[in-house]
Amino acid sequence: MSWGTELWDQFDNLEKHTQWGIDILEKYIKFVKERTEIELSYAKQLRNLSKKYQPKKNSKEEEEYRYTACKAFLSTLNETNDYAGQHEVISENMTSQITVELARYVQELKQERKSHFHDGRKAQQHIETCWKQLESSKRRFERDCKEADRAQQYFEKMDADINVTKADVEKARQQAQMRHQMAEDSKADYSSILQKFNHEQHEYYHTHIPNIFQKIQEMEERRIVRIGESVKTYAELDRQVIPIIGKCLDGIVKAAESIDPKNDSQLAIEAYKSGFEPPGDIEFEDYTQPMKRTVSDNSLSNSRGEGKSELKFGGKSKGKLWPFIKKNKLMSLLTSPHQPPPPPPASASPSAVPNGPQSPKQQKEPLSHRFNEFMTSKPKIHCFRSLKRGLSLKLGATPEDFSNLPPEQRRKKLQQKVDELNKEIQKEMDQRDAITKMKDVYLKNPQMGDPASLDHKLAEVSQNIEKLRLEAQKFEAWLAEVEGRLPARSEQARRHSGMYDVQNPPAVNNCAQDRESSPDGSYTEDQSQESEVKVLATDFDDEFDDEESLPAIGTCKALYTFEGQNEGTISVAEGETLYVIEEDKGDGWTRIRRSEDEEGYVPTSYVEVYLDKNAKGAKTYI
């Protein structure tokens, strides 16, 4: 089967067919090129999708990826990114191995096809030229034969005519002979050209055209083979990445199988555990009891003397029951005298106004009411355990020791800070070692550098190390303090320390608990409440020493001498001038200050109060 023998007369059709083959090849190249563009676009979209859901660095979202479910999602994003990379590989390989190669092959194929059909047209032109020569010699031979025949007939006619001279007859005879000779020459030329044409024609149809068509056939078959190979390569390039894509999918499955709900639950505990103990039961407040008591039974001194208390503190409180309230405000709430103020002396002192009017009878306000007022103030914080966080959020400041956080969270932050400082210390130490080695090299080889030039840098690094160590010690001390107050994490037994007694239940479950009003307007409190005040004052002294004192809102002059013998009161001498830092809240007591470290309550009726000019006006209590 050969195009040269079977299609010897289909030169034009072969030309069209081979051009169609090249068009098909170019169409396939265009298809592969568009496929590579799709692969690149798909890979880009996958990468953008993976990047979009990646956690942002140094953000809260990054901390969430400690959980196994989030880790599985992160692994899925990473595997998707790798999956996108494989599609980029497909695009690159198809571009280099198919598109570029076939484009180069198409150019070569076009040149080869052009050469073959140029040879075919050249052969056609040659055989056509030979045919024209043959036709020309044939026509000339035919013309010469006719001319010779006419010349012969004319000679015979002249020879038969008796009237014609002998010269004319001889001339006609010579003309006839010449024509016969020309006819013979034309015949010989025609015969020669005919033989030549027949030879050329045989060569054309049996040698030249078959050879040319055979080359064209081979060229077309190579094109077909090349398309087949490219299609196979197209599939193989896709198949090559399937194992890697399979590994990506296996990685996603493995990440899904690594999800551990128990571990995530434990991480949630570690992330949000406050370290506080649950509140205990709230005791029943019997409001009918004051009606059954006598005045002597309801007195504060009698209540304290009995020493009956169901809530006792062993050592210091189990936890800080009033955390993160400023000391002065807390003391103003808790250390206000627990009994009505005494009336002024019957006889006025020399400096007092004779027969001055008595102090207006003030409505006694129980401490429980003051607590309730504090608790119901906006923003309302229902539990003092959340007061610390509420105040820190309100103030918008984070203490250096993270005291605004619950104990467990504070421990984690402090531990993180200690680890960061240790890393910084190690980095500085490595830098110091490097500088020391360089200095030794300079000492051994002075031409390399001046050792003294490194002294300043070495001193600076050493100073940084010392600063970081001091900082680390500070945070380690806070960490040790916090860990001493938290329950043991790996044992059932609890840690015991002077600041954290785990055997005692929470002392305060309700701000107004264990405090009742007596029929005469005074109020009593259990000894446990007194213990609360003492424990709170002891526990929080060290945390609030650096708090600023309340500002003075005016001055006052003592009308009488007052011996402050009860807790929260202060002694004043008649005629003494002091600063007022808190007005009478309706309980008959005014809070004053003598010096920075000496302040307390005095009966309002014992002093004459002058508020500053920014107040509504001077008020006088006599």
Side-chain angles (χ1 to χ4, degrees), residues 291-309:
M291 296 186 296
K292 301 176 183 179
R293 294 182 181 176
T294 63
V295 176
S296 60
D297 292 336
N298 287 307
S299 63
L300 180 63
S301 59
N302 190 25
S303 173
R304 291 182 177 176
E306 290 176 2
K308 295 180 180 180
S309 175

PDB file of all heavy atoms in Angstrom, residues 291-309:
ATOM      1  N   MET A 291     -36.342  39.425 115.249  1.00  0.00           N
ATOM      2  CA  MET A 291     -37.494  39.703 116.091  1.00  0.00           C
ATOM      3  C   MET A 291     -37.439  38.921 117.400  1.00  0.00           C
ATOM      4  O   MET A 291     -38.082  39.273 118.377  1.00  0.00           O
ATOM      5  CB  MET A 291     -38.772  39.345 115.338  1.00  0.00           C
ATOM      6  CG  MET A 291     -38.985  40.205 114.087  1.00  0.00           C
ATOM      7  SD  MET A 291     -40.564  39.891 113.292  1.00  0.00           S
ATOM      8  CE  MET A 291     -40.323  38.191 112.817  1.00  0.00           C
ATOM      9  N   LYS A 292     -36.673  37.823 117.406  1.00  0.00           N
ATOM     10  CA  LYS A 292     -36.601  36.985 118.602  1.00  0.00           C
ATOM     11  C   LYS A 292     -35.429  37.343 119.478  1.00  0.00           C
ATOM     12  O   LYS A 292     -35.252  36.764 120.542  1.00  0.00           O
ATOM     13  CB  LYS A 292     -36.472  35.516 118.180  1.00  0.00           C
ATOM     14  CG  LYS A 292     -37.642  35.048 117.333  1.00  0.00           C
ATOM     15  CD  LYS A 292     -37.427  33.624 116.866  1.00  0.00           C
ATOM     16  CE  LYS A 292     -38.558  33.156 115.966  1.00  0.00           C
ATOM     17  NZ  LYS A 292     -38.334  31.772 115.490  1.00  0.00           N
ATOM     18  N   ARG A 293     -34.598  38.263 118.998  1.00  0.00           N
ATOM     19  CA  ARG A 293     -33.428  38.609 119.785  1.00  0.00           C
ATOM     20  C   ARG A 293     -33.710  39.812 120.666  1.00  0.00           C
ATOM     21  O   ARG A 293     -34.571  40.638 120.369  1.00  0.00           O
ATOM     22  CB  ARG A 293     -32.251  38.959 118.866  1.00  0.00           C
ATOM     23  CG  ARG A 293     -31.747  37.782 118.052  1.00  0.00           C
ATOM     24  CD  ARG A 293     -30.576  38.222 117.218  1.00  0.00           C
ATOM     25  NE  ARG A 293     -30.064  37.124 116.408  1.00  0.00           N
ATOM     26  CZ  ARG A 293     -29.091  37.263 115.539  1.00  0.00           C
ATOM     27  NH1 ARG A 293     -28.541  38.445 115.353  1.00  0.00           N
ATOM     28  NH2 ARG A 293     -28.667  36.223 114.845  1.00  0.00           N
ATOM     29  N   THR A 294     -32.984  39.919 121.723  1.00  0.00           N
ATOM     30  CA  THR A 294     -33.018  41.109 122.561  1.00  0.00           C
ATOM     31  C   THR A 294     -31.962  42.067 122.079  1.00  0.00           C
ATOM     32  O   THR A 294     -31.128  41.728 121.261  1.00  0.00           O
ATOM     33  CB  THR A 294     -32.747  40.736 124.038  1.00  0.00           C
ATOM     34  OG1 THR A 294     -31.430  40.188 124.103  1.00  0.00           O
ATOM     35  CG2 THR A 294     -33.766  39.732 124.545  1.00  0.00           C
ATOM     36  N   VAL A 295     -32.047  43.275 122.623  1.00  0.00           N
ATOM     37  CA  VAL A 295     -31.068  44.273 122.208  1.00  0.00           C
ATOM     38  C   VAL A 295     -29.678  43.826 122.575  1.00  0.00           C
ATOM     39  O   VAL A 295     -28.739  43.965 121.826  1.00  0.00           O
ATOM     40  CB  VAL A 295     -31.395  45.631 122.844  1.00  0.00           C
ATOM     41  CG1 VAL A 295     -30.324  46.656 122.512  1.00  0.00           C
ATOM     42  CG2 VAL A 295     -32.770  46.101 122.387  1.00  0.00           C
ATOM     43  N   SER A 296     -29.517  43.232 123.743  1.00  0.00           N
ATOM     44  CA  SER A 296     -28.182  42.802 124.162  1.00  0.00           C
ATOM     45  C   SER A 296     -27.679  41.661 123.301  1.00  0.00           C
ATOM     46  O   SER A 296     -26.497  41.546 123.034  1.00  0.00           O
ATOM     47  CB  SER A 296     -28.200  42.378 125.639  1.00  0.00           C
ATOM     48  OG  SER A 296     -29.116  41.289 125.813  1.00  0.00           O
ATOM     49  N   ASP A 297     -28.625  40.807 122.857  1.00  0.00           N
ATOM     50  CA  ASP A 297     -28.192  39.685 122.011  1.00  0.00           C
ATOM     51  C   ASP A 297     -27.744  40.154 120.637  1.00  0.00           C
ATOM     52  O   ASP A 297     -26.940  39.513 119.991  1.00  0.00           O
ATOM     53  CB  ASP A 297     -29.336  38.681 121.815  1.00  0.00           C
ATOM     54  CG  ASP A 297     -29.672  37.961 123.115  1.00  0.00           C
ATOM     55  OD1 ASP A 297     -28.776  37.903 123.964  1.00  0.00           O
ATOM     56  OD2 ASP A 297     -30.826  37.493 123.250  1.00  0.00           O
ATOM     57  N   ASN A 298     -28.308  41.276 120.208  1.00  0.00           N
ATOM     58  CA  ASN A 298     -27.996  41.740 118.861  1.00  0.00           C
ATOM     59  C   ASN A 298     -26.841  42.702 118.818  1.00  0.00           C
ATOM     60  O   ASN A 298     -26.533  43.243 117.781  1.00  0.00           O
ATOM     61  CB  ASN A 298     -29.224  42.414 118.249  1.00  0.00           C
ATOM     62  CG  ASN A 298     -30.279  41.411 117.864  1.00  0.00           C
ATOM     63  OD1 ASN A 298     -29.995  40.472 117.158  1.00  0.00           O
ATOM     64  ND2 ASN A 298     -31.507  41.602 118.367  1.00  0.00           N
ATOM     65  N   SER A 299     -26.249  43.030 119.952  1.00  0.00           N
ATOM     66  CA  SER A 299     -25.136  43.971 119.929  1.00  0.00           C
ATOM     67  C   SER A 299     -23.943  43.345 119.251  1.00  0.00           C
ATOM     68  O   SER A 299     -23.760  42.133 119.273  1.00  0.00           O
ATOM     69  CB  SER A 299     -24.762  44.400 121.352  1.00  0.00           C
ATOM     70  OG  SER A 299     -24.311  43.276 122.078  1.00  0.00           O
ATOM     71  N   LEU A 300     -23.160  44.196 118.698  1.00  0.00           N
ATOM     72  CA  LEU A 300     -21.991  43.704 117.960  1.00  0.00           C
ATOM     73  C   LEU A 300     -20.992  43.064 118.882  1.00  0.00           C
ATOM     74  O   LEU A 300     -20.409  42.024 118.573  1.00  0.00           O
ATOM     75  CB  LEU A 300     -21.344  44.866 117.186  1.00  0.00           C
ATOM     76  CG  LEU A 300     -20.111  44.525 116.367  1.00  0.00           C
ATOM     77  CD1 LEU A 300     -20.501  43.516 115.280  1.00  0.00           C
ATOM     78  CD2 LEU A 300     -19.526  45.769 115.750  1.00  0.00           C
ATOM     79  N   SER A 301     -20.804  43.681 120.075  1.00  0.00           N
ATOM     80  CA  SER A 301     -19.817  43.132 120.998  1.00  0.00           C
ATOM     81  C   SER A 301     -20.229  41.760 121.471  1.00  0.00           C
ATOM     82  O   SER A 301     -19.418  40.847 121.615  1.00  0.00           O
ATOM     83  CB  SER A 301     -19.632  44.078 122.200  1.00  0.00           C
ATOM     84  OG  SER A 301     -20.886  44.237 122.874  1.00  0.00           O
ATOM     85  N   ASN A 302     -21.547  41.555 121.737  1.00  0.00           N
ATOM     86  CA  ASN A 302     -22.006  40.254 122.178  1.00  0.00           C
ATOM     87  C   ASN A 302     -21.851  39.228 121.071  1.00  0.00           C
ATOM     88  O   ASN A 302     -21.473  38.093 121.320  1.00  0.00           O
ATOM     89  CB  ASN A 302     -23.474  40.351 122.600  1.00  0.00           C
ATOM     90  CG  ASN A 302     -23.940  39.078 123.310  1.00  0.00           C
ATOM     91  OD1 ASN A 302     -23.119  38.383 123.873  1.00  0.00           O
ATOM     92  ND2 ASN A 302     -25.240  38.797 123.275  1.00  0.00           N
ATOM     93  N   SER A 303     -22.161  39.683 119.839  1.00  0.00           N
ATOM     94  CA  SER A 303     -22.039  38.753 118.711  1.00  0.00           C
ATOM     95  C   SER A 303     -20.603  38.321 118.524  1.00  0.00           C
ATOM     96  O   SER A 303     -20.322  37.163 118.267  1.00  0.00           O
ATOM     97  CB  SER A 303     -22.551  39.414 117.441  1.00  0.00           C
ATOM     98  OG  SER A 303     -22.305  38.597 116.335  1.00  0.00           O
ATOM     99  N   ARG A 304     -19.709  39.255 118.708  1.00  0.00           N
ATOM    100  CA  ARG A 304     -18.307  38.896 118.550  1.00  0.00           C
ATOM    101  C   ARG A 304     -17.824  38.096 119.734  1.00  0.00           C
ATOM    102  O   ARG A 304     -16.969  37.233 119.610  1.00  0.00           O
ATOM    103  CB  ARG A 304     -17.462  40.157 118.392  1.00  0.00           C
ATOM    104  CG  ARG A 304     -17.715  40.876 117.079  1.00  0.00           C
ATOM    105  CD  ARG A 304     -16.824  42.066 116.961  1.00  0.00           C
ATOM    106  NE  ARG A 304     -17.032  42.712 115.661  1.00  0.00           N
ATOM    107  CZ  ARG A 304     -16.437  43.829 115.319  1.00  0.00           C
ATOM    108  NH1 ARG A 304     -15.625  44.431 116.153  1.00  0.00           N
ATOM    109  NH2 ARG A 304     -16.660  44.352 114.121  1.00  0.00           N
ATOM    110  N   GLY A 305     -18.349  38.414 120.911  1.00  0.00           N
ATOM    111  CA  GLY A 305     -17.884  37.713 122.100  1.00  0.00           C
ATOM    112  C   GLY A 305     -18.225  36.253 122.081  1.00  0.00           C
ATOM    113  O   GLY A 305     -17.521  35.435 122.650  1.00  0.00           O
ATOM    114  N   GLU A 306     -19.384  35.928 121.517  1.00  0.00           N
ATOM    115  CA  GLU A 306     -19.755  34.523 121.502  1.00  0.00           C
ATOM    116  C   GLU A 306     -18.804  33.709 120.633  1.00  0.00           C
ATOM    117  O   GLU A 306     -18.542  32.555 120.931  1.00  0.00           O
ATOM    118  CB  GLU A 306     -21.173  34.392 120.952  1.00  0.00           C
ATOM    119  CG  GLU A 306     -22.213  34.949 121.926  1.00  0.00           C
ATOM    120  CD  GLU A 306     -23.604  34.893 121.328  1.00  0.00           C
ATOM    121  OE1 GLU A 306     -23.709  34.393 120.190  1.00  0.00           O
ATOM    122  OE2 GLU A 306     -24.557  35.323 121.972  1.00  0.00           O
ATOM    123  N   GLY A 307     -18.300  34.342 119.573  1.00  0.00           N
ATOM    124  CA  GLY A 307     -17.322  33.652 118.707  1.00  0.00           C
ATOM    125  C   GLY A 307     -17.919  32.499 117.961  1.00  0.00           C
ATOM    126  O   GLY A 307     -17.240  31.537 117.641  1.00  0.00           O
ATOM    127  N   LYS A 308     -19.237  32.564 117.667  1.00  0.00           N
ATOM    128  CA  LYS A 308     -19.871  31.483 116.918  1.00  0.00           C
ATOM    129  C   LYS A 308     -19.756  31.779 115.435  1.00  0.00           C
ATOM    130  O   LYS A 308     -20.228  32.794 114.979  1.00  0.00           O
ATOM    131  CB  LYS A 308     -21.344  31.364 117.301  1.00  0.00           C
ATOM    132  CG  LYS A 308     -21.555  30.956 118.754  1.00  0.00           C
ATOM    133  CD  LYS A 308     -23.019  30.860 119.077  1.00  0.00           C
ATOM    134  CE  LYS A 308     -23.249  30.455 120.545  1.00  0.00           C
ATOM    135  NZ  LYS A 308     -24.676  30.366 120.878  1.00  0.00           N
ATOM    136  N   SER A 309     -19.187  30.890 114.776  1.00  0.00           N
ATOM    137  CA  SER A 309     -19.056  31.060 113.327  1.00  0.00           C
ATOM    138  C   SER A 309     -18.961  29.710 112.676  1.00  0.00           C
ATOM    139  O   SER A 309     -18.241  28.837 113.125  1.00  0.00           O
ATOM    140  CB  SER A 309     -17.807  31.882 112.997  1.00  0.00           C
ATOM    141  OG  SER A 309     -17.647  31.927 111.612  1.00  0.00           O
TER     142      SER A 309
END
